[in-house]
Amino acid sequence: MTQPQRPRVAIAGASGFIGTAVSSALADAYEVRALTRSPARARAPDPDPHIDWRHCDLFSGPDVVAGLAGCDYAVYLVHSLAPSSRLTQANPRDMDLILADNFARAAAANGVQQIIVVGGLIPESFRISPLLWSRREVELVLASRGTAVTALRAGLVVGAGGSAPRLLVDLVRRLPVLALPPSARSLTRPIALEDLVRAVQLCLGEPETYRGAFDIGGPECLNYEEMLRRTAEVLGVRRLIITLPWLPIWIAAATARAFSGAPSEVVGPALESLPQDTVIRDNPVQRAIDSGAMPFREALKAALAPSHRHLCASPRQPIQGQDRELIREARRVRSIQRIILPPGQDARWVAGNYFRWLGTCCWPFVATRLDATGRCDVTIRFPRLHLLSLQRRAELSDPQREVYAITGGLLSRPDSLGHARFEFQTLLDDRYTMAAIHDYAPALPWYVYRWTQAVAHLMVMRRYQRRLARLAR
C-alpha cells in the first residue's frame, strides 16, 4: 500500500538556530526543503531523509521561484544581518524589504498556500524601534502579493545558538558588575525555542484559521534586569547588577560589544528595542502553547552546553569561516537605496528616469545613452571611455520590477557578467522603489574601488533619492 504523499514546506533561513529546530520538528510530518544562502551548508546532506538542503540566493527573484517550486507552505525566518557581499552599501531594513518581496512574489507564482513568518512583539506605544518596525514592514510585504500570511510575533527567543541569549550569558560570565540603562526595566515575555516551534507546528497548514498576526510568549513577564539575574543564578556566579537612572544607549551598546564579543549588528538593534514594554494580546495561538510553556530559567538551562558555562554553539558556526572566505574571494558588491516613488509612477519609469538623469547629474564628465532596445551605455566624455553597459532583461521585468544586467565596460570584471545586475523594485503598494545593485564585481583594485567608485556611486544615489523625494511631495 503506497504511503500518502506528504505536503512540502520550504524553510527560508533554515541554517539559523530557529530554522534548524523548525526543520527538524517539521520533518516528522512534512517534506522539508531547507533553503540557505550558504553554499557550504547546501553541499552537506542532512541525516534526515525528509530534509533537502538547497542553496538559494533570496536576492535573486528566479532563484527564489525555483526554491519554492512544488511547495505547499513556507516558513520565513530570514534577516539580513549576516554578510552576503564583501561590501554592502545598504540599510538592513532595506535589504529585508527586498528579500521579503522576492519571497512573496515567488510564493504567489508557485501557488504556496501559506507563509509563516516569525517577527517581533510590537509595543502599544507610538515609539517603535527601527528593528521592530522593520519586522512589521516585512510582514506587510510578505502579505502584499496575495498569499495568506501567519505572523508569529515573539520577544526574546531562548534556545541553543541564539544571539540574544548568548549576549546575556557572555555579559554575565565576563563582567562582575553590570550597569544597565533605565530601559532595561522594560517588560517582555521571553519564549523558549521549543514553544516557538510548537506555535509554528500548530499554525502550519491552517492558513484560514491562523491568518494574521499573533503575539506569543513564555509563561513569565520579565524585564532584562531580572533576566540577567536569573542568568547569573543558572551559571552559578554572583554579579552586581545595577540599573542607573541615566545611561546613554550608545555607551551600553559599546560596553556590551567590548565584553561579550557580539557583533554591533546584534547589540545595537537589541538595545534600541528595550525602551517599550510589550503586552501579549490574547489569541488562540498563545492559549494553545500556554500549557506546558517553559519558564526562562529552564529554557536557558536547556540551551547551555554540558559545561553550563557557555551557550551551545550556533548551527551556523561550523560553516561561517567557509562562507566568509567565499565572500572575500568573490569580491562582490551590493548597494541598495530606498526611493520614495512619485504618485502614479512605477519601476520602469524610475529606471528610465534614473539613467537619463545620471548624464545630467554628472555633466560634463559622464554621458549616458538609453536606446529603444533597453540598452544603456555609461561613458566618460573626455577621453572617450566606455565605463559600463547595461541591458534590460525583458523576461524578468514587469511594471513593479525592472532588471538590467551589467553586460560590460571597463569598470566591471568579466567574471561577474551574467550575475551583476541593477534592479528597480517597487513594493508596499507602490510606496517605495528599491534601487539595488546585486553581485557586482568591480574591475578596479579592491581598495581603490572602495574609496573612489563606491563613494561616487553612493553620493549619486543619495542625490537621486533627494530628487525623487522632492517630486513625491
Side-chain angles (χ1 to χ4, degrees):
M1 184 176 177
T2 59
Q3 294 290 329
Q5 187 175 6
R6 291 176 164 209
R8 178 173 284 111
V9 57
I11 302 178
S15 58
F17 87 106
I18 297 176
T20 299
V22 169
S23 299
S24 178
L26 295 184
D28 292 338
Y30 296 85
E31 293 296 327
V32 175
R33 183 175 294 166
L35 304 178
T36 176
R37 73 181 73 179
S38 167
R41 182 63 191 91
R43 287 194 296 265
D46 199 285
D48 191 319
H50 298 295
I51 301 178
D52 172 30
W53 284 90
R54 293 196 185 183
H55 177 253
C56 182
D57 177 11
L58 294 186
F59 284 107
S60 166
D63 260 27
V64 191
V65 171
L68 294 185
C71 292
D72 302 290
Y73 310 108
V75 181
Y76 189 82
L77 304 168
V78 177
H79 64 74
S80 59
L81 297 180
S84 59
S85 298
R86 188 168 175 183
L87 175 64
T88 300
Q89 295 177 321
N91 188 309
R93 291 174 56 196
D94 297 338
M95 291 192 286
D96 282 336
L97 287 192
I98 287 182
L99 296 174
D101 191 55
N102 286 346
F103 199 81
R105 283 169 169 264
N110 283 293
V112 172
Q113 300 171 41
Q114 179 189 27
I115 299 172
I116 293 182
V117 56
V118 176
L121 287 173
I122 305 295
E124 294 182 336
S125 165
F126 67 91
R127 294 178 59 198
I128 300 177
S129 72
L131 172 65
L132 294 178
W133 183 247
S134 175
R135 301 275 177 86
R136 174 63 178 141
E137 283 186 322
V138 166
E139 293 175 14
L140 293 172
V141 170
L142 288 174
S144 66
R145 304 293 177 183
T147 305
V149 171
T150 303
L152 299 176
R153 295 176 177 173
L156 189 149
V157 181
V158 184
S163 56
R166 182 180 303 281
L167 179 61
L168 295 177
V169 169
D170 287 346
L171 286 175
V172 168
R173 191 167 56 86
R174 297 178 182 180
L175 289 176
V177 179
L178 289 99
L180 308 177
S183 55
R185 290 203 174 108
S186 60
L187 295 171
T188 188
R189 291 272 292 273
I191 184 172
L193 176 59
E194 176 183 307
D195 296 326
L196 174 58
V197 171
R198 284 200 294 135
V200 172
Q201 289 175 303
L202 173 71
C203 298
L204 190 62
E206 301 287 345
E208 296 306 321
T209 304
Y210 297 108
R211 189 169 190 160
F214 301 90
D215 296 344
I216 57 174
E220 302 164 295
C221 193
L222 302 173
N223 61 37
Y224 288 82
E225 178 182 348
E226 181 59 28
M227 281 190 273
L228 286 167
R229 294 188 190 280
R230 296 191 185 189
T231 301
E233 292 172 9
V234 169
L235 295 179
V237 297
R238 294 171 62 88
R239 294 292 182 258
L240 179 60
I241 301 174
I242 307 169
T243 299
L244 301 176
W246 181 82
L247 181 65
I249 289 291
W250 69 269
I251 292 180
T255 303
R257 284 195 300 269
F259 288 96
S260 71
S264 57
E265 59 266 22
V266 171
V267 176
L271 290 179
E272 282 180 349
S273 61
L274 288 182
Q276 303 94 6
D277 290 341
T278 50
V279 178
I280 290 182
R281 302 160 186 84
D282 180 59
N283 64 81
V285 179
Q286 180 60 38
R287 290 195 297 270
I289 67 171
D290 261 338
S291 176
M294 192 180 295
F296 175 81
R297 187 181 279 105
E298 283 66 31
L300 185 61
K301 287 179 181 177
L304 291 174
S307 66
H308 275 241
R309 300 288 296 170
H310 301 273
L311 208 68
C312 290
S314 165
R316 285 199 182 102
Q317 188 172 351
I319 57 174
Q320 282 177 333
Q322 299 176 56
D323 288 342
R324 281 195 295 265
E325 187 59 30
L326 287 172
I327 288 171
R328 182 175 178 81
E329 289 177 358
R331 295 199 307 131
R332 299 287 172 89
V333 175
R334 194 178 315 282
S335 181
I336 300 170
Q337 286 75 40
R338 183 187 306 211
I339 296 170
I340 298 175
L341 188 63
Q345 305 301 341
D346 57 17
R348 186 168 191 178
W349 179 88
V350 174
N353 181 267
Y354 170 77
F355 288 128
R356 292 180 177 88
W357 170 86
L358 181 62
T360 304
C361 167
C362 300
W363 188 89
F365 307 106
V366 173
T368 58
R369 184 172 66 88
L370 189 64
D371 65 23
T373 68
R375 177 185 171 91
C376 179
D377 291 306
V378 183
T379 59
I380 290 181
R381 293 175 184 271
F382 309 105
R384 194 73 176 180
L385 295 176
H386 181 202
L387 299 181
L388 285 174
S389 287
L390 302 95
Q391 179 62 54
R392 180 175 181 267
R393 297 283 302 276
E395 74 281 9
L396 299 177
S397 300
D398 59 53
Q400 294 186 312
R401 169 182 276 159
E402 282 288 295
V403 180
Y404 283 79
I406 298 175
T407 56
L410 294 174
L411 294 181
S412 184
R413 274 205 336 255
D415 63 338
S416 75
L417 304 183
H419 300 282
R421 59 200 185 277
F422 199 172
E423 297 189 8
F424 299 83
Q425 188 168 342
T426 300
L427 39 74
L428 282 178
D429 295 324
D430 296 337
R431 189 178 309 167
Y432 303 114
T433 293
M434 316 302 290
I437 290 179
H438 298 294
D439 295 329
Y440 171 65
L444 292 174
W446 183 253
Y447 290 103
V448 174
Y449 165 80
R450 286 206 61 169
W451 299 108
T452 56
Q453 185 185 344
V455 174
H457 172 74
L458 194 57
M459 291 173 63
V460 167
M461 291 308 302
R462 286 180 176 169
R463 186 172 174 184
Y464 189 64
Q465 280 177 300
R466 293 192 295 269
R467 167 186 166 81
L468 285 205
R470 289 194 298 270
L471 291 179
R473 291 196 188 110

